[in-house]
Amino acid sequence: TQLLEQSPQFLSIQEGENLTVYCNSSSVFSSLQWYRQEPGEGPVLLVTVVTGGEVKKLKRLTFQFGDARKDSSLHITAAQPGDTGLYLCAGGNSGAGSYQLTFGKGTKLSVIP
Amino acid sequence: NAGVTQTPKFRILKIGQSMTLQCTQDMNHNYMYWYRQDPGMGLKLIYYSVGAGITDKGEVPNGYNVSRSTTEDFPLRLELAAPSQTSVYFCASQEGRTLRWTDTQYFGPGTRLTVL
């Protein structure tokens, strides 16, 4: 069974601060996705990374896939209250079980104005 | 496009009752999924379907059943509700025509179920 560990589980910061969220596994994944979920809604995809060492930027959000494709990070610069939500990482595989994503437990981010 | 829709939004059941959670997508996606989300536990896959007439178990299928008679609909059935099934249930769909492990999953707004 593949597992994805996210840290920290909870994060509360002031508006304007920077933060990094981590997603780690002992298993190799073919792809790593990050989703954001707001209260009362379903998760929404932010980004997909597929190449070891890949870095993608989405405005103030920077996503990185580890060289060995076992871990990923999400860095937010100058956090804003609109960034508040649950951030989930999800790993995908090209082999057996490729219909399924493995989700981490999530990082709950609160950005205080 | 409405995307993925789920009904009901909230439901309270008594132990032993049955119900069906409805899920419909209008994107002509091949793949559909049912997840449950417990506090602090992330998303766990219950069942999934890769096309009409084809379903398979996920990580936590016990106590649930599904069917996929059309591309659009993927209902989840709870036959004998138990308190352990109290959770938020999400349906998702995925196009499935490209590399599956890089496809976007589109989620519905969820059904919050309480079993007392």
Side-chain angles (χ1 to χ4, degrees), chain A residues 69-108:
Chain A
R69 290 184 289 131
K70 292 183 179 181
D71 55 84
S72 181
S73 63
L74 157 60
H75 181 80
I76 301 179
T77 303
Q80 298 179 0
D83 296 326
T84 294
L86 180 68
Y87 289 82
L88 296 160
C89 65
N93 275 309
S94 59
S98 63
Y99 303 109
Q100 305 179 30
L101 288 175
T102 299
F103 280 87
K105 294 182 179 181
T107 293
K108 191 169 185 179

Side-chain angles (χ1 to χ4, degrees), chain B residues 41-62:
Chain B
M41 296 300 292
L43 289 163
K44 292 194 180 294
L45 183 65
I46 305 171
Y47 271 95
Y48 67 97
S49 168
V50 299
I54 306 170
T55 63
D56 207 347
K57 296 178 181 178
E59 184 182 357
V60 289
N62 291 345

Side-chain angles (χ1 to χ4, degrees), chain A residues 1 9 30-33 35 37 40-45 48 50 86 88 92-95 98-101 103-106, chain B residues 9 31 33 35 37 40-45 48 50 57-59 90 94 100-110 112:
Chain A
T1 303
Q9 190 176 356
S30 301
S31 68
L32 204 294
Q33 296 183 324
Y35 290 80
Q37 183 180 15
E41 299 182 8
V44 175
L45 180 70
T48 301
V50 296
L86 180 68
L88 296 160
N93 275 309
S94 59
S98 63
Y99 303 109
Q100 305 179 30
L101 288 175
F103 280 87
K105 294 182 179 181
Chain B
K9 200 161 180 63
Y31 299 168
Y33 303 83
Y35 294 93
Q37 186 176 37
M41 296 300 292
L43 289 163
K44 292 194 180 294
L45 183 65
Y48 67 97
V50 299
K57 296 178 181 178
E59 184 182 357
F90 289 99
Q94 180 177 332
R100 292 184 291 271
W101 54 94
T102 63
D103 276 353
T104 301
Q105 286 198 11
Y106 295 88
F107 286 81
R112 185 176 294 274

Side-chain angles (χ1 to χ4, degrees), chain A residues 50-70:
Chain A
V50 296
T51 305
E54 182 176 3
V55 177
K56 280 193 175 179
K57 292 193 174 184
L58 186 66
K59 296 183 182 178
R60 294 176 293 99
L61 279 60
T62 302
F63 304 86
Q64 184 162 7
F65 203 10
D67 291 340
R69 290 184 289 131
K70 292 183 179 181

Side-chain angles (χ1 to χ4, degrees), chain A residues 7-22:
Chain A
S7 61
Q9 190 176 356
F10 300 97
L11 190 55
S12 181
I13 62 170
Q14 294 289 328
E15 181 176 358
E17 292 183 348
N18 302 332
L19 67 114
T20 302
V21 174
Y22 300 93

Side-chain angles (χ1 to χ4, degrees), chain B residues 32-110:
Chain B
M32 295 187 75
Y33 303 83
W34 273 106
Y35 294 93
R36 60 177 288 172
Q37 186 176 37
D38 300 325
M41 296 300 292
L43 289 163
K44 292 194 180 294
L45 183 65
I46 305 171
Y47 271 95
Y48 67 97
S49 168
V50 299
I54 306 170
T55 63
D56 207 347
K57 296 178 181 178
E59 184 182 357
V60 289
N62 291 345
Y64 307 95
N65 277 301
V66 293
S67 60
R68 185 101 180 265
S69 57
T70 67
T71 299
E72 295 78 20
D73 300 306
F74 190 40
L76 177 71
R77 180 84 178 158
L78 282 72
E79 288 295 346
L80 291 169
S84 61
Q85 293 178 305
T86 294
S87 189
V88 181
Y89 292 84
F90 289 99
C91 179
S93 73
Q94 180 177 332
E95 184 178 25
R97 292 192 179 88
T98 57
L99 297 174
R100 292 184 291 271
W101 54 94
T102 63
D103 276 353
T104 301
Q105 286 198 11
Y106 295 88
F107 286 81

